[in-house]
Amino acid sequence: MTRVVLAPDSFKGTITAADAAAALAEGWAAVDPTAEFVHRPMADGGEGTVAAFEAAVPGAVRMPVVVDGPSGTRVDTSWLLLPPSEGAPAGTAVVDLGSTSGIELLDELRPWDADTTGLGQAMGAALDHGVSCLVVGIGSSASTDGGTGMLTALGARFLDASGVPVARGARGLAEIAAVDLTGLRAAPEVRVLTDVTNPLTGPRGAAAVFGPQKGLRAMADIALVDDGLRRLAELLGIDPAGEGNGAAGGTGAALVVWGGVLAPGAAEVAELIGLADAIADADTVITGEGSYDGQSGDGKVPSFLAGLAAAAGTRALLAAGRITADADTALFTASVSLTDLAGSTQSALADPARWLREAGAVLARAAAS
């Protein structure tokens, strides 16, 4: 009997990690009815991080909160309260940038004006509750504001040469002449889950690598935002080349300034849900995400899972919404793209569960051969 661990990430904006795992299992079972399935839906600090903690920790409670979303409109969302534990007698809060300031909350991209205020407001709500620790997942960001919105919501002030607060978002970065942190709220223990290791500035920085995904098109605009982030780093006294400081449009750097410790999100979630032990006892692990591309090898769920599988001598398979030409599929025994199965990106996006079921069947046949 084949034992299959199902550990996909969410397929951003289309299907949750748990539903993706269920669809893959259904497709595999159609080919191999005797297979035993172990569901371990994953996250890496982005979309689905709160859901992963909620599923794994008994007694976790969703705490509703209303915040300013990345477009400036109010968003009904929640943070997660974990029960008291050793080292966290008042409980731990899990806050997800994706659900407060994430790109999926936008109807259209706002590269200059989207900001992270909502993340800071949700964190502030958790602080008001009195938690001992904060876990902050910072994937899926809509903005490149250097975390200024988040820090502003927590009491910081970013001022222009006249002492007036600058505009929100990347638009205000070029105008920052002074930073006032005297009103910044004290931080508890803060662990920051990120899925990238990029620095804040430069050719691998937040503006250059992720700015185009958030709507920055012209090279001159990317350079302008990069210069603003570099100036922000100088004013905050942080190293723009620091690993992970460029995560979430520079929010990683802002959280480090606040006292946060950056950690690889996939590894943190995997430890929480006992993924390594599950893979060690399995014949096969299937993982996946919406877009498996050249950046997926840098801290994302699929590459992390492939590493765990290799260490355990377990076969790793991949199902992704799309697989780009620059992606490293050599990590996997077999891989399949939903876009290829469906015939087009539009068809794959319209019914991801259907094509994940088909992907599960394709992978089962590939494994059998």
Side-chain angles (χ1 to χ4, degrees):
M1 181 175 62
T2 304
R3 184 178 176 90
V4 181
V5 173
L6 299 151
D9 198 352
S10 64
F11 286 53
K12 189 176 294 183
T14 61
I15 190 168
T16 66
D19 287 344
L24 286 164
E26 187 175 343
W28 186 290
V31 175
D32 180 9
T34 65
E36 177 185 351
F37 299 104
V38 179
H39 292 246
R40 291 290 188 273
M42 271 290 290
D44 55 17
E47 181 184 85
T49 296
V50 165
F53 275 84
E54 184 178 27
V57 180
V61 178
R62 291 265 187 168
M63 306 293 286
V65 65
V66 181
V67 303
D68 293 340
S71 66
T73 59
R74 302 293 276 172
V75 171
D76 292 309
T77 184
S78 61
W79 56 275
L80 188 70
L81 177 63
L82 306 184
S85 62
E86 184 178 354
T92 295
V94 183
V95 185
D96 184 348
L97 184 149
S99 66
T100 57
S101 305
I103 197 167
E104 298 299 327
L105 299 175
L106 294 177
D107 292 327
E108 59 181 26
L109 298 176
R110 304 175 80 244
W112 294 102
D113 301 305
D115 72 286
T116 53
T117 298
L119 173 64
Q121 291 170 335
M123 292 164 60
L127 294 178
D128 290 343
H129 191 80
V131 296
S132 303
C133 302
L134 269 174
V135 174
V136 186
I138 59 170
S140 307
S141 171
S143 70
T144 314
D145 74 342
T148 54
M150 178 201 71
L151 289 177
T152 297
L154 293 171
R157 300 173 73 223
F158 297 90
L159 309 172
D160 65 17
S162 300
V164 176
V166 300
R168 287 185 177 187
R171 187 179 303 280
L173 290 177
E175 304 300 323
I176 298 175
V179 176
D180 178 6
L181 302 181
T182 57
L184 186 62
R185 298 185 68 164
E189 179 184 340
V190 183
R191 196 153 185 86
V192 184
L193 308 187
T194 177
D195 58 359
V196 302
T197 57
N198 299 68
L200 183 61
T201 61
R204 291 187 61 248
V209 175
F210 305 112
Q213 300 172 5
K214 299 166 187 178
L216 289 175
R217 301 301 179 202
M219 291 302 297
D221 291 343
I222 291 173
L224 182 63
V225 176
D226 191 68
D227 286 343
L229 291 171
R230 185 174 290 104
R231 173 63 173 158
L232 177 65
E234 292 175 0
L235 291 169
L236 291 174
I238 59 173
D239 179 8
E243 187 173 283
N245 281 347
T251 304
L255 282 161
V256 169
V257 168
W258 197 49
V261 176
L262 300 179
E268 293 284 313
V269 174
E271 182 177 358
L272 174 76
I273 64 178
L275 186 56
D277 289 341
I279 290 174
D281 292 336
D283 305 288
T284 301
V285 58
I286 306 177
T287 188
E289 63 181 353
S291 177
Y292 185 73
D293 53 35
Q295 296 176 14
S296 294
D298 196 13
K300 303 287 187 178
V301 165
S303 61
F304 177 77
L305 264 290
L308 285 183
T314 302
R315 176 174 51 200
L317 308 177
L318 172 73
R322 66 168 186 158
I323 300 175
T324 63
D326 62 342
D328 182 10
T329 57
L331 299 171
F332 302 95
T333 303
S335 58
V336 61
S337 158
L338 305 193
T339 295
D340 290 346
L341 291 177
S344 70
T345 300
Q346 291 74 19
S347 295
L349 291 172
D351 194 355
R354 172 189 174 185
W355 298 110
L356 280 162
R357 287 192 292 272
E358 181 64 25
V362 169
L363 292 174
R365 287 191 286 269
S369 64

